[in-house]
Amino acid sequence: MALIPARGGSKRFPRKNIAPYKGMPVISYTIQEAEKTGLFDRVVVSTDDDEIASIATKFGAETVKRPPALAGDTVGLAEVCMDFLHTEKSAGRTWDILCCLFPAAPLRKAKDIKGTVDLITTGQCDFSVAVSEYPFPPNMAKIEVNGLLQFAFPEWALKKRQDLPKFVIDNGSTYAFSVPAFLKAKTFHGSPQKGYLMPRLRSVDIDEPEDLIIAEALDGLETP
């Protein structure tokens, strides 16, 4: 089961989920790549917005109307997934694995979705997430305290990068989990969890208008 949460509101980039990108709405790329995987019995868009619902239907997804209480910008997406799963159970439908696909990742490919979902093995890996490597040495990160900078990780600050463990970060595109484990943990970041390493050139999250320009510049570039 794939669920694409796509509310209508966005403070930093209004209507970003349906902003035009290379002639199509941003969300359409997520729908199409989910379908290409051949993994899912259903691909569903959860939204509070009629225009998003109409576009999602046009590109082949099912849609469900999100309750108004879950449409605000302070609502966590884990809550949206839990509400959806409870609704499905009430309708007599249960799922083993749910994949939550964020709609504003137009460069993510079907192979990235499949790679993340394929990591799920009940009891050995109940949660998986698409991750990317940090673009800068994370051990050199600094924080501001009382107007002055200091190392965030002083114990690692002067070490060579090759002497450090690999640092990765959730790239905000793809999550998968065993449904029973998720309903118990109530978070995307339960344990045991594995990460699918996704190239940074495909890890653009459309959060600001300029991200569309960055995505278009990177689209199609070969990655190692």
Side-chain angles (χ1 to χ4, degrees):
M1 175 77 197
L3 183 67
I4 304 170
R7 67 187 186 91
S10 176
K11 290 183 177 179
R12 281 183 289 186
F13 185 1
R15 315 297 288 166
K16 69 175 185 178
N17 290 326
I18 54 173
Y21 173 70
K22 297 184 71 175
M24 298 198 304
V26 164
I27 193 174
S28 68
Y29 295 89
T30 294
I31 296 170
Q32 290 179 334
E33 295 302 314
E35 294 285 4
K36 284 180 187 177
T37 67
L39 290 175
F40 304 117
D41 296 300
R42 295 168 63 201
V43 175
V44 177
V45 171
S46 165
T47 186
D48 60 324
D49 187 275
D50 290 339
E51 185 179 11
I52 291 176
S54 177
I55 289 171
T57 300
K58 176 183 175 182
F59 283 92
E62 297 179 46
T63 62
V64 294
K65 191 75 170 183
R66 190 182 304 184
L70 295 177
D73 56 8
T74 61
V75 175
L77 289 176
E79 295 177 69
V80 173
C81 290
M82 284 189 288
D83 178 79
F84 174 75
L85 289 168
H86 288 314
T87 300
E88 287 288 288
K89 186 176 181 179
S90 297
R93 296 184 292 267
T94 57
W95 303 94
D96 297 320
I97 295 173
L98 181 69
C99 181
C100 183
L101 299 170
F102 285 22
L107 301 188
R108 173 194 47 215
K109 300 300 183 185
K111 61 183 176 182
D112 301 316
I113 299 170
K114 190 175 188 304
T116 304
V117 174
D118 284 350
L119 291 174
I120 299 296
T121 304
T122 302
Q124 299 177 35
C125 174
D126 289 322
F127 299 83
S128 61
V129 57
V131 298
S132 299
E133 290 191 62
Y134 278 84
F136 302 107
N139 61 308
M140 298 299 290
K142 293 186 176 183
I143 57 174
E144 188 173 290
V145 179
N146 298 323
L148 300 174
L149 292 178
Q150 65 182 42
F151 283 114
F153 311 109
E155 68 276 22
W156 288 333
L158 300 180
K159 289 188 177 183
K160 294 180 180 179
R161 190 168 188 175
Q162 60 265 33
D163 295 329
L164 295 169
K166 180 185 287 187
F167 285 80
V168 295
I169 187 169
D170 166 355
N171 70 8
S173 72
T174 310
Y175 303 82
F177 38 80
S178 160
V179 168
F182 169 70
L183 291 174
K184 183 177 179 179
K186 298 180 173 59
T187 175
F188 292 163
H189 304 287
S191 181
Q193 182 184 56
K194 291 184 179 180
Y196 169 81
L197 187 61
M198 192 166 145
R200 282 190 278 121
L201 292 180
R202 294 203 300 272
S203 298
V204 179
D205 177 27
I206 306 300
D207 213 27
E208 306 281 356
E210 55 264 33
D211 291 330
L212 292 170
I213 300 171
I214 294 170
E216 189 155 359
L218 297 177
D219 197 357
L221 292 181
E222 291 298 320
T223 57

